[in-house]
Amino acid sequence: MMECHYQPYFDPEYESLIERIYPPRVCIDNDTREDCTLVKVDSKNKHGILLEMVQVLTDLDLVISKSYISSDGRWLMDVFHVTDQLGNKITDEPLINYIQQSLCAGSTNEEVGPPRHVPAENTTVEMTATDRPGLLSEISAVLAGLDCHIMAAKAWTHNKRAALIMYVVDQRTGGPISDRDLLSHMEEQLQNMVGKKRVRISGPTKGQTHTERRLHQMMFADRDYEMDGQDEEGRRKSGALTVEICNEKGYSVVSVKSRDRPKLLFDTVCALTDMDYVVFHAVISSHGSLAVQEYYLRHRNGCTLDTESERRRLTQCLVAAVERRVSYGLRLDVCTCNKLGLLSDIMRVFGENGLSVARAEIATRGERAVGAFYVTDTSGNDVEPATVESLRKEIGAATVLEVNNSHPWTPLKSKGGGENAAVEEQPRFSLGSLLWSQLERLSRNFGSIRS
């Protein structure tokens, strides 16, 4: 029997009054610490607000090295230690203003739609599928054959499952696909490719869920967190991730230790939020390559994690949330001219060279397109340098293809050789990653907050 903690009734009008009297306050502090900028947020508490704040910061490619969360009651006080990707403080005034506006907007009920470099008027294609070599190539070829231009796309794979979100427009009109027969034909062809898995095609909708959060939700719905005993035992022995759960003073205390990487905090908070857990207190820190996250939480209904089955399920879901973005492959950054069927062409060249894509992300703006692809051979092994050179020749001189050596899940090493000891690693940058960052910033332009 779960232990429940009931809360007193509060008049909704009283809640509204408090929010009007004390609006959200965001302070950007560059004086207290020499090594980072402190982003301090005081706001009325609501379910999901922590995720919204973390989402704003990670979407700006800011590094959150530490965070202190306190929201035990009807008000929250959160502090984030952030830097840019080079480890510098945040001093750009337009960026500071954008953070303040966005975090204040995040304290309301606003949601975001597609990435900002994607036209608001588009057709969204969502798919889950059983992962297999050539899947992304086949999907992009179908869309290109129907004159559907992919403006942006993200694809994740985990535990033999795949989830894809594509934002497409009609090549002939440059807008969303309005032809019902074409939409029906597209859905039929895509559904035939994934069998019993899910295909969803939708037009422009106000308040669409954040793309990466939606990918988490799709893979969660496909139960990618379920693994057989052998796979779970192998993961446990790898030392890459541990989750500990205990009950203390009316909370469930969840401790997550893993190798650090970009957007790790976003991914774990996504899992907790979408499973309807409320974080009352949290301490987040990174020590070299090791990240430690400790959450004091209860379920939204006020109950703690009292049964072994609940604890096991939460552990599985947190592990899956962390691993979905991890890609054990070679990262290839591509920058080229935007054109119809571009993704299909790139995937075809990858396939002809015996490569399988574990994770992909592409974006377009005007005449340029940028993509990041994590690839292995079809057996999951490392890609040979000769294969990369062959790709460069086949993909053409007009396309920049660069190997990015900064792996998102590097093994933990130390002077003492301990498996889980932390090591300081300096971030490495490449032409492709800098182009991607520039595209994101130009797309965002720190303008008004779009709902």
Side-chain angles (χ1 to χ4, degrees), residues 17 81 108 126 143 181 189 237 286 299 311 361 385 396 407:
L17 176 64
H81 294 222
T108 66
E126 296 182 354
L143 294 175
D181 292 336
Q189 289 204 41
K237 288 182 178 180
S286 58
H299 196 271
R311 291 192 287 267
E361 182 171 354
H407 202 285

Side-chain angles (χ1 to χ4, degrees), residues 190-403:
L190 294 176
Q191 193 66 64
N192 288 337
M193 296 176 62
V194 301
K196 296 181 180 180
K197 297 292 184 177
R198 185 172 181 270
V199 174
R200 178 175 177 266
I201 300 176
S202 60
T205 304
K206 185 178 180 179
Q208 286 178 289
T209 304
H210 183 272
T211 303
E212 293 181 347
R213 182 180 182 186
R214 184 71 191 124
L215 284 168
H216 277 299
Q217 292 173 341
M218 291 164 62
M219 300 205 86
F220 175 76
D222 201 28
R223 306 176 75 88
D224 73 315
Y225 54 87
E226 294 182 343
M227 304 186 75
D228 60 37
Q230 184 176 0
D231 288 338
E232 284 198 300
E233 178 67 11
R235 176 202 287 139
R236 184 184 65 79
K237 288 182 178 180
S238 71
L241 174 63
T242 59
V243 179
E244 300 171 355
I245 301 176
C246 67
N247 288 340
E248 180 180 317
K249 296 182 180 179
Y251 301 105
S252 290
V253 185
V254 178
S255 178
V256 182
K257 299 178 182 179
S258 73
R259 293 164 181 153
D260 199 10
R261 61 163 175 77
K263 300 190 178 183
L264 178 64
L265 179 58
F266 174 84
D267 294 335
T268 53
V269 174
C270 258
L272 295 173
T273 304
D274 288 331
M275 294 180 73
D276 273 341
Y277 288 101
V278 179
V279 176
F280 290 87
H281 301 283
V283 178
I284 313 298
S285 62
S286 58
H287 310 277
S289 294
L290 179 65
V292 180
Q293 305 178 34
E294 188 170 75
Y295 300 96
Y296 289 72
L297 52 80
R298 301 183 197 127
H299 196 271
R300 200 173 179 183
N301 61 12
C303 300
T304 56
L305 292 160
D306 197 48
T307 66
E308 179 60 32
S309 61
E310 289 176 300
R311 291 192 287 267
R312 177 180 172 80
R313 183 169 182 267
L314 178 57
T315 297
Q316 289 177 324
C317 291
L318 284 172
V319 168
V322 170
E323 290 184 343
R324 287 169 191 147
R325 204 189 294 270
V326 174
S327 298
Y328 300 91
L330 181 69
R331 171 169 167 163
L332 299 178
D333 290 331
V334 176
C335 180
T336 188
C337 294
N338 187 14
K339 65 175 182 177
L340 176 66
L342 173 63
L343 181 59
S344 177
D345 291 343
I346 293 174
M347 291 297 98
R348 176 182 52 78
V349 173
F350 284 177
E352 290 173 352
N353 283 270
L355 299 183
S356 178
V357 178
R359 182 159 65 92
E361 182 171 354
I362 68 164
T364 60
R365 183 171 177 83
E367 297 180 354
R368 306 303 296 170
V370 178
F373 304 88
Y374 291 85
V375 298
T376 64
D377 67 16
T378 52
S379 300
N381 299 318
D382 292 339
V383 178
E384 297 292 335
T387 303
V388 176
E389 291 307 312
S390 177
L391 284 174
R392 284 198 174 100
K393 293 178 182 178
E394 292 188 42
I395 214 163
T399 299
V400 177
L401 186 149
E402 186 184 74
V403 175

Side-chain angles (χ1 to χ4, degrees), residues 125-197:
V125 179
E126 296 182 354
M127 301 177 62
T128 53
T130 301
D131 188 29
R132 56 181 170 80
L135 176 64
L136 186 56
S137 177
E138 294 173 19
I139 292 171
S140 55
V142 166
L143 294 175
L146 296 173
D147 286 334
C148 299
H149 183 42
I150 301 172
M151 301 299 295
K154 290 193 178 186
W156 290 358
T157 62
H158 177 249
N159 195 19
K160 301 176 184 178
R161 295 167 173 85
L164 305 91
I165 297 179
M166 297 182 174
Y167 299 101
V168 303
V169 296
D170 190 322
Q171 177 68 14
R172 295 160 295 186
T173 65
I177 302 167
S178 56
D179 187 327
R180 293 184 178 275
D181 292 336
L182 176 57
L183 287 170
S184 178
H185 183 51
M186 179 194 305
E187 184 172 358
E188 181 182 1
Q189 289 204 41
L190 294 176
Q191 193 66 64
N192 288 337
M193 296 176 62
V194 301
K196 296 181 180 180
K197 297 292 184 177

Side-chain angles (χ1 to χ4, degrees), residues 437-451:
S437 178
Q438 184 181 25
L439 174 64
E440 291 289 313
R441 178 163 292 207
L442 287 172
S443 308
R444 202 172 284 114
N445 201 29
F446 309 121
S448 59
I449 308 303
R450 179 165 60 87
S451 59

